[in-house]
Amino acid sequence: MKKFWWVSCVLLLLTGCSNDSQVSTYHVEDDQEEIELLQTILKENQNINEADVVFFDHQLVVAIQVKPLSKFKKVKITKSFEKEVKSLFPDHKVFVSSDLKISWELEKIIKEKPTMEDLKKDLDDIQALSKEAT
């Protein structure tokens, strides 16, 4: 029984310390260069654990989740990442958030792949959601 608990603790520790970040993207025009550029930036950033990205009509909406040990610097990480993304995509309107509810909404959009009108409405709702005080 002791071996079982020991092995399960080691496996839990190893899975919790994985270094790969998960990135989910949705691009309406399916521009692979933009997607790959953003994915490499997200994977190079050591503080970001997960990210959901939606490209639409020169808009870029990114929801990031920082790693547990970096949560105390979440605002600083979000602002520096937003500045970096804005420099790489100057012709896009960039919106970066580390809010979990925005991440959930972007995950829904990525799974559903809505029409252009629905996507525009959803992105407007997400940006309004970010201004809510919770």
Side-chain angles (χ1 to χ4, degrees):
M1 192 67 170
K2 281 186 174 181
K3 283 186 179 182
F4 173 73
W5 287 108
W6 178 253
V7 171
S8 64
C9 288
V10 169
L11 289 176
L12 182 65
L13 180 67
L14 290 176
T15 57
C17 295
S18 67
N19 205 13
D20 293 336
S21 59
Q22 297 175 334
V23 180
S24 302
T25 59
Y26 177 57
H27 198 304
V28 176
E29 287 94 26
D30 201 30
D31 188 357
Q32 289 298 324
E33 291 177 14
E34 288 181 343
I35 292 172
E36 289 174 7
L37 178 63
L38 193 61
Q39 283 182 343
T40 56
I41 292 167
L42 285 165
K43 289 184 180 184
E44 286 175 359
N45 195 326
Q46 299 296 319
N47 296 317
I48 296 176
N49 196 22
E50 286 184 41
D52 299 304
V53 181
V54 174
F55 286 92
F56 171 71
D57 192 34
H58 294 290
Q59 285 186 350
L60 175 60
V61 181
V62 182
I64 60 172
Q65 294 180 20
V66 296
K67 291 190 177 183
L69 294 177
S70 302
K71 291 221 185 249
F72 299 110
K73 302 183 288 183
K74 185 172 20 177
V75 174
K76 184 178 177 182
I77 292 168
T78 304
K79 286 184 180 184
S80 68
F81 182 71
E82 183 174 12
K83 185 177 179 182
E84 184 178 0
V85 171
K86 281 183 179 180
S87 69
L88 288 172
F89 299 101
D91 58 336
H92 286 70
K93 181 181 172 188
V94 177
F95 175 73
V96 177
S97 177
S98 59
D99 196 355
L100 192 57
K101 62 186 173 186
I102 293 176
S103 180
W104 291 335
E105 293 297 321
L106 285 181
E107 285 177 8
K108 281 191 227 175
I109 289 174
I110 292 170
K111 287 179 185 174
E112 293 173 1
K113 300 189 188 320
T115 62
M116 297 287 259
E117 296 86 28
D118 292 338
L119 183 59
K120 181 167 176 40
K121 183 179 178 275
D122 289 343
L123 292 180
D124 290 340
D125 290 344
I126 286 173
Q127 289 182 355
L129 186 66
S130 71
K131 294 176 184 172
E132 280 185 10
T134 57

